[in-house]
Amino acid sequence: MSSTPAIDSNAHQKPGLRIPRHLGIIMDGNGRWARARGKPRTEGHVAGAKALRRLVELCIRYGVEHLTAFSFSSENWTRPRDEVNFILGLIRRFVASDLEKLVRNNVHVRIIGERDGLDPAMQRLIADVEAKTARNTGLELIIAFNYGGKAEITQMTRRIARAVQAGELEPGDITEETVERALYTSGIPDPDVIIRTSGEQRFSNFLLWQSAYSELIFIDEYWPDFDEEIFLRALEEYTRRERRFGGIEARIT
Ligand code: IPE
Ligand code: IPE
Ligand code: MG
């Protein structure tokens, strides 16, 4: 048994702050953060992993139910091999060495993205972490790894086409729910808000279907600098947004 206590929820300490049920985060700017300090890009990734640990704790404390973190995109394989290997090592370590702490904090981990083609050790690690945290009822931490929204939509299409081919489904019976069930994110509510750091204002292939009505918040700070103050600033901005979902009045979510 470890002596570190589990993190308490303090959601009640910020009256009036609207807490998203599902927060998506595009963690960008590790390389630029390092360059600005005259350090190699790898140090930016190390600092970025620490920032993700901070965000997980913040989500637990403030009562966010689902956090989807974009850790590695299907396009990030195009980076130099050394950098790819370094990032993969960090993700592996994040998942493996933080497991005990995640379990203690009742975190349920789910990994979304393409698993075919990943090295078998990584596939085993993913399955292991998901199994060991499956019964946890606290924060659901969704790690988008080898994830691309277009790839997800493509594999969803294949799954549905196979069901039609097998005679299990009529094309006319395909609904939005059919699509949602065939995505990696099946069963997870759509993100209420997506935050991207580092000043870039694009999705870079993150949650294309699921972001249809997400509030988008772009912040200038690089990901390794992400802290509670930035988190609260983003949630204050989210609290001010009127979500209309196509109607004429703000809908309370
Ligand atoms: C985000 O930081 C981490 C990953 C995409 C894996 P970057 O590595 O993209 O940092 P910049 O955008 O080059 O500064
Ligand atoms: C998006 O960042 C992917 C992740 C944060 C994992 P990138 O740095 O890969 O995005 P682009 O290349 O600037 O669009
Ligand atoms: Mg980047």
Side-chain angles (χ1 to χ4, degrees):
M1 272 279 269
S2 162
S3 55
T4 320
I7 300 157
D8 281 334
S9 169
N10 71 351
H12 58 280
Q13 288 180 9
K14 274 273 166 191
L17 190 71
R18 187 159 49 154
I19 305 297
R21 192 169 168 214
H22 183 175
L23 166 67
I25 181 85
I26 303 175
M27 310 182 286
D28 198 16
N30 293 353
R32 280 164 285 163
W33 180 92
R35 193 175 57 208
R37 285 162 180 74
K39 294 176 172 177
R41 291 178 59 86
T42 48
E43 289 207 28
H45 296 308
V46 171
K50 288 188 185 140
L52 178 57
R53 291 186 179 97
R54 281 199 294 278
L55 178 59
V56 169
E57 292 199 3
L58 286 166
C59 287
I60 294 170
R61 284 177 41 212
Y62 284 87
V64 172
E65 291 174 37
H66 313 265
L67 167 66
T68 300
F70 202 6
S71 71
F72 193 83
S73 78
S74 40
E75 290 73 38
N76 287 147
W77 297 105
T78 59
R79 295 185 178 201
R81 174 122 61 110
D82 283 355
E83 176 164 345
V84 168
N85 287 339
F86 190 85
I87 296 171
L88 296 187
L90 272 179
I91 294 173
R92 218 175 274 136
R93 245 171 293 147
F94 178 88
V95 173
S97 60
D98 283 35
L99 186 56
E100 193 218 335
K101 193 171 159 205
L102 294 169
V103 169
R104 191 163 63 246
N105 281 297
N106 200 18
V107 176
H108 169 194
V109 181
R110 181 157 156 185
I111 317 279
I112 59 167
E114 193 49 58
R115 296 200 189 171
D116 287 353
L118 292 180
D119 90 69
M122 191 71 174
Q123 296 202 28
R124 273 197 303 279
L125 178 64
I126 290 173
D128 188 41
V129 162
E130 289 187 332
K132 284 189 173 135
T133 63
R135 277 189 293 277
N136 290 349
T137 54
L139 173 72
E140 182 175 39
L141 170 61
I142 302 139
I143 299 177
F145 171 71
N146 193 22
Y147 175 87
K150 286 188 174 185
E152 178 180 38
I153 289 170
T154 305
Q155 72 81 33
M156 171 274 292
T157 309
R158 278 195 208 120
R159 275 206 209 179
I160 293 179
R162 276 191 216 108
V164 169
Q165 191 180 38
E168 296 158 10
L169 192 63
E170 285 293 321
D173 291 337
I174 297 171
T175 62
E176 291 185 9
E177 286 69 35
T178 319
V179 171
E180 273 156 14
R181 278 198 301 273
L183 293 172
Y184 301 133
T185 51
S186 169
I188 302 170
D190 287 344
D192 300 293
V193 57
I194 294 176
I195 300 173
R196 182 168 186 153
T197 56
S198 86
E200 304 296 353
Q201 303 199 354
R202 57 178 170 264
F203 273 141
S204 304
N205 211 2
F206 187 56
L207 299 181
L208 298 182
W209 167 282
Q210 300 86 340
S211 59
Y213 269 104
S214 303
E215 294 298 327
L216 309 178
I217 296 183
F218 299 105
I219 60 178
D220 288 334
E221 285 89 347
Y222 296 137
W223 172 246
D225 288 326
F226 195 92
D227 62 7
E228 186 164 7
E229 194 235 299
I230 298 172
F231 176 78
L232 287 176
R233 215 194 312 139
L235 290 197
E236 277 154 15
E237 168 69 27
Y238 170 68
T239 302
R240 284 193 292 273
R241 299 277 178 93
E242 260 195 19
R243 305 188 72 194
R244 296 196 204 94
F245 297 95
I248 55 171
E249 278 173 26
R251 220 196 283 164
I252 304 299
T253 50

